[in-house]
Amino acid sequence: MASFNNLPDEIILRIFNYFSQKELQSTLKYVDYRWNRLAEDSSLYREIIADEKLHAKEVAFLLQKHAEEIKCVQFIERDDLNELAEYLSHCCNLQSLMIKLSFGAGDKIVDAIKNCPKLNSIVIQHSSCVRNLPGLFQVIGDLPMKKINIRNTVDDITTENLCHLKNVQDLRLKSIKVDTMGIYKFCQNNCANLTTLKLITYHENIENFTLDVNETIFAAIGSCRNLNTLCLGHQVMIKMNDEGLQKLHNLNNLSTLVIHYAERVSADGFVNFFRQPLAKNLKKIGLYKCACVNSAVIRSIANMCFKLEKFTYEQSKETRERKSNIDPFDIITLSRNCNKLRWFHLFGMDIKIAEVLHLVPTYLPNLESLKYCNDDDPMRIPSFMHGLERKMPDFNVSGLQWKFSLYVHCRKKDKLEQNTLPDPHVRFQLK
């Protein structure tokens, strides 16, 4: 039998790719001379994942030694970014930078990326270390930036930060304050290339905006004909009405549409929108707390969105107060017509919907996840719950007793692993 050491270098390098850089540096390189040489091969360090397990000296060593080969750097849960910024600035071929769950001081990173002329993707999530967002946007405006993903940071984004960005394909801003006019100018400047736009943003004085949202933002978004993913949050949707929604009718390449808090869009506006040709290409739809979504809207989706793979609907408080609940039969119609659904999630629904959920999998051969949540007062689990495991034998059913919730996950893929199957009875947990 051939030993491991008889394998060619190319095969061993592929195997080494499955090990973390911490393991490469602290263990594998000390096995013998050959492993030491292979563990230092530059091909293993094109992507540096600098999480909390790597000491600052180890990260600095890797950034310095493999500076010319490094194309991607991820800083995860670190508090020493200013110490590492000097070494990052030597990565002249860097293309992607991620900063996630990091804290402390890190504004020197902004100056460091000035020396990374090929940087085209930047992701900053849940990190308070980069406090100078205006300075960051000023720098990346001069770079061939294609993807910008910023979430939960401590600074605001103004019009000046966004208006000079060009050729961006993917913009995702979540849980930060953004100047609405900046969104408008950004869409104007990037309409030819933009494929993903996610604006789940907020603003303290959202009701005081003087900008005519319908005539500017939605017209600019509607001109981005290559969009395939569009997610609009509270800041943008709070003033959208039927006319604003109508300006999105020409986004025929759209495959993902997520809307939050569309309080001023009527049921007729939604029905008309989902009757447009673009609905035939939608694969993912999310409607969160949109006040006027009713049975007619669900039926329009069922009659047009035949490619739908994921549907999420969260009923708003206003809808519940008006008692304009969705008819259970419309949920079945949606399941029957959109038989490619894999994820079907319904939150804040009437208890009557739960009574027909066991019929849903019969129409959805590819269903993987079925979630239901009732927002009424705390109640006991309905009697029909006890028969769901029998009615849905291919699914793992669990219920939460407080504010009755139902989570159903497919176990069809686990049938070959009989020993791992859960007990054949409904399991209840307390939230």
Side-chain angles (χ1 to χ4, degrees), residues 102-138:
S102 297
F103 49 94
D107 286 327
K108 289 184 179 180
I109 291 289
V110 176
D111 293 326
I113 63 176
K114 292 179 181 178
N115 299 314
C116 305
K118 297 182 180 180
L119 186 67
N120 58 52
S121 173
I122 186 162
V123 178
I124 303 177
Q125 295 184 346
H126 308 288
S127 298
S128 58
C129 55
V130 181
R131 299 180 176 89
N132 184 17
L133 281 186
L136 174 67
F137 273 86
Q138 185 175 358

Side-chain angles (χ1 to χ4, degrees), residues 193-364:
N193 300 298
L194 197 62
T195 60
T196 299
L197 181 63
K198 294 187 176 183
L199 301 172
I200 314 298
T201 58
Y202 69 89
H203 198 290
E204 292 175 353
N205 300 315
I206 195 166
E207 291 293 347
N208 297 327
F209 284 167
T210 57
L211 180 64
D212 187 345
V213 178
N214 291 313
E215 295 301 325
T216 53
I217 288 186
F218 298 116
I221 295 175
S223 67
C224 301
R225 301 297 179 85
N226 292 316
L227 269 180
N228 56 49
T229 299
L230 178 62
C231 302
L232 301 177
H234 190 272
Q235 178 181 346
V236 180
M237 297 303 302
I238 189 68
K239 290 193 174 182
M240 177 188 251
N241 56 24
D242 293 357
E243 294 179 359
L245 189 61
Q246 186 177 2
K247 295 184 182 297
L248 306 180
H249 283 181
N250 293 323
L251 299 178
N252 291 325
N253 292 321
L254 208 60
S255 64
T256 298
L257 175 68
V258 178
I259 295 177
H260 295 252
Y261 297 98
E263 299 175 359
R264 302 188 182 189
V265 179
S266 68
D268 290 339
F270 277 118
V271 169
N272 183 45
F273 179 80
F274 288 114
R275 285 177 177 172
Q276 301 300 315
L278 67 85
K280 296 180 180 180
N281 296 322
L282 289 175
K283 294 183 178 180
K284 297 181 181 180
I285 295 177
L287 300 175
Y288 294 88
K289 297 185 178 181
C290 299
C292 293
V293 172
N294 57 19
S295 283
V297 177
I298 299 298
R299 285 195 296 270
S300 64
I301 295 174
N303 292 331
M304 289 293 291
C305 304
F306 303 123
K307 295 182 180 180
L308 201 59
E309 296 179 2
K310 181 176 182 179
F311 179 73
T312 303
Y313 171 57
E314 181 177 0
Q315 189 168 249
S316 69
K317 181 179 179 181
E318 293 79 4
T319 305
R320 290 195 298 272
E321 289 176 350
R322 291 198 302 266
K323 296 184 178 180
S324 54
N325 294 304
I326 306 298
D327 190 319
F329 179 76
D330 295 322
I331 298 300
I332 301 304
T333 301
L334 182 63
S335 304
R336 186 177 63 245
N337 291 3
C338 305
N339 55 16
K340 294 183 179 181
L341 273 171
R342 296 165 61 192
W343 301 277
F344 199 1
H345 300 162
L346 303 168
F347 303 119
M349 305 298 292
D350 186 82
I351 189 63
K352 293 181 180 179
I353 300 296
E355 297 179 7
V356 300
L357 289 180
H358 69 277
L359 299 174
V360 170
T362 61
Y363 300 105
L364 302 176

